[in-house]
Amino acid sequence: MKTNEKRSDCPISSSLDIFGDKWSLLIVRDLMLHKTRTYGDFTKAKEKIATNILANRLQVLEEQGIIIKLPYPDNKVKGLYKLSKKGVDLIPAVIEIALWGSSHLSDTDESSPFIEEVKKNKVKFLKKIMDKLMADDVA
Amino acid sequence: MKTNEKRSDCPISSSLDIFGDKWSLLIVRDLMLHKTRTYGDFTKAKEKIATNILANRLQVLEEQGIIIKLPYPDNKVKGLYKLSKKGVDLIPAVIEIALWGSSHLSDTDESSPFIEEVKKNKVKFLKKIMDKLMADDVA
DNA sequence: TAATATTGCTTGCATTTTGAAAGTAAATAT
DNA sequence: ATATTTACTTTCAAAATGCAAGCAATATTA
């Protein structure tokens, strides 16, 4: 993976240079909805990411300062991944993608609890979830 | 390209199944900023998309109902691509990505005229650009 | 304490996607 | 009538993806 090549100075293009793939934003999604996750938690997500891809995406997202890896309390094998401030700031984009999918794609999980809440009051939901994720010492 | 395989019922995952790559949203970007574009216009964008990839993405986006191909007036060779309603509805997501890139990535084109306008008043900008794109008979 | 299981990866290899370059057919311009 | 433009398609090498197995460092269980 060549993560250091920018195709242009366009902020959209440069963003997609980092997370323009089918997996990166799903990692952000899982961290957004669960606050922290271990490596094993990610592998248990229903989309079934391959472990080599997961390891690569976690590394890229960490290099880019979007996620942070912390030690797991009282366990030297496990690690805890969480969103950084830069990662939390990606949530509005992820939410817009979720809203689009939920209103334009069939057979998507419309009844997902967070989608309903977002539709009811997007600003309130965003504030709530971003505040929660930023609550503890985020870099 | 297998565009018909859904990894899960999650609206984020299903959205990324369609446009989770480095090019699709750049096509949406160009249509958002220029209203309509020909095939040749897309190839002239600064990111230099390969023509085989462009042809494939245009086909997928059309199949998915995100873009519409219209005949070019008085010319049987050219075509005109434009966003459908479903495509216009992707603009909020694209804008959030642009805002994120613009505030978190260095060397992005901060001074791009539309980014400044979005930062000044996002809701107003969105309304203006979406209204404009929806003005003429959008499917 | 010794054997077993868990965790977070890495490796090998086949398949799929991407990307650069060249090619092509239809239509338009000269 | 010839040259050029337009919108692709084809070819082939390189890179990314995905599946399965492997592995070393803990942690748990007997």
Side-chain angles (χ1 to χ4, degrees):
Chain A
M1 260 217 147
K2 308 174 191 172
T3 50
N4 41 356
E5 282 174 42
K6 276 180 86 210
R7 288 171 295 171
S8 78
D9 284 347
C10 166
I12 301 168
S13 161
S14 298
S15 296
L16 295 176
D17 285 341
I18 297 172
F19 57 75
D21 65 76
K22 300 208 184 309
W23 294 109
S24 299
L25 290 184
L26 294 187
I27 291 175
V28 173
R29 172 201 65 183
D30 290 344
L31 291 173
M32 155 182 135
L33 295 177
H34 293 91
K35 197 165 183 176
T36 57
R37 305 231 90 177
T38 63
Y39 186 94
D41 289 337
F42 289 115
T43 67
K44 284 164 203 141
K46 49 191 174 322
E47 289 86 7
K48 297 281 164 247
I49 188 170
T51 57
N52 54 341
I53 308 290
L54 174 59
N56 173 264
R57 290 308 114 92
L58 289 172
Q59 191 194 315
V60 170
L61 290 172
E62 199 185 1
E63 281 168 10
Q64 294 292 330
I66 292 169
I67 66 175
I68 297 167
K69 189 181 181 178
L70 300 169
Y72 193 101
D74 306 324
N75 188 310
K76 288 177 182 168
V77 182
K78 293 182 174 183
L80 270 184
Y81 291 94
K82 66 181 292 192
L83 291 172
S84 67
K85 169 73 165 73
K86 191 171 173 179
V88 169
D89 285 349
L90 259 176
I91 291 178
V94 173
I95 291 296
E96 290 300 336
I97 291 171
L99 283 170
W100 183 86
S102 150
S103 68
H104 287 289
L105 304 177
S106 52
D107 300 322
T108 52
D109 197 356
E110 175 70 34
S111 61
S112 154
F114 91 92
I115 282 285
E116 280 187 27
E117 205 180 333
V118 174
K119 283 189 175 168
K120 206 167 292 173
N121 191 333
K122 183 160 74 185
V123 173
K124 191 175 174 184
F125 176 84
L126 276 175
K127 179 169 167 36
K128 182 178 151 191
I129 199 163
M130 291 175 75
D131 281 355
K132 174 187 154 196
L133 291 166
M134 294 293 294
D136 28 31
D137 59 304
V138 167
Chain B
M1 262 217 146
K2 308 174 190 172
T3 49
N4 41 355
E5 282 173 42
K6 278 180 82 210
R7 287 171 296 171
S8 77
D9 284 346
C10 167
I12 301 168
S13 161
S14 298
S15 296
L16 296 175
D17 284 341
I18 297 172
F19 58 74
D21 65 75
K22 301 209 184 308
W23 295 108
S24 298
L25 291 184
L26 294 187
I27 290 175
V28 173
R29 172 200 67 183
D30 290 344
L31 291 174
M32 157 182 134
L33 296 176
H34 293 91
K35 197 166 181 174
T36 58
R37 306 230 88 176
T38 63
Y39 185 95
D41 289 337
F42 289 114
T43 67
K44 283 164 202 141
K46 49 190 174 321
E47 290 87 6
K48 297 283 165 245
I49 188 170
T51 57
N52 54 342
I53 308 290
L54 174 59
N56 172 264
R57 290 308 114 93
L58 289 172
Q59 191 194 316
V60 170
L61 291 172
E62 200 185 1
E63 282 168 7
Q64 294 293 331
I66 291 168
I67 66 175
I68 297 166
K69 188 181 181 178
L70 301 169
Y72 193 101
D74 306 324
N75 188 309
K76 288 177 183 168
V77 182
K78 292 184 174 182
L80 270 183
Y81 291 94
K82 66 181 293 194
L83 291 173
S84 66
K85 169 75 164 71
K86 192 171 172 180
V88 169
D89 284 349
L90 259 176
I91 291 178
V94 173
I95 291 297
E96 290 300 337
I97 291 171
L99 283 170
W100 183 85
S102 152
S103 68
H104 286 289
L105 303 177
S106 53
D107 301 322
T108 52
D109 197 356
E110 175 70 33
S111 61
S112 154
F114 92 92
I115 282 286
E116 280 187 27
E117 205 180 333
V118 174
K119 282 189 176 168
K120 205 168 292 172
N121 192 332
K122 183 161 73 184
V123 173
K124 191 174 174 183
F125 175 84
L126 277 175
K127 181 169 164 39
K128 182 179 151 192
I129 198 164
M130 291 174 76
D131 281 354
K132 174 186 154 198
L133 291 166
M134 295 293 293
D136 28 32
D137 60 301
V138 168

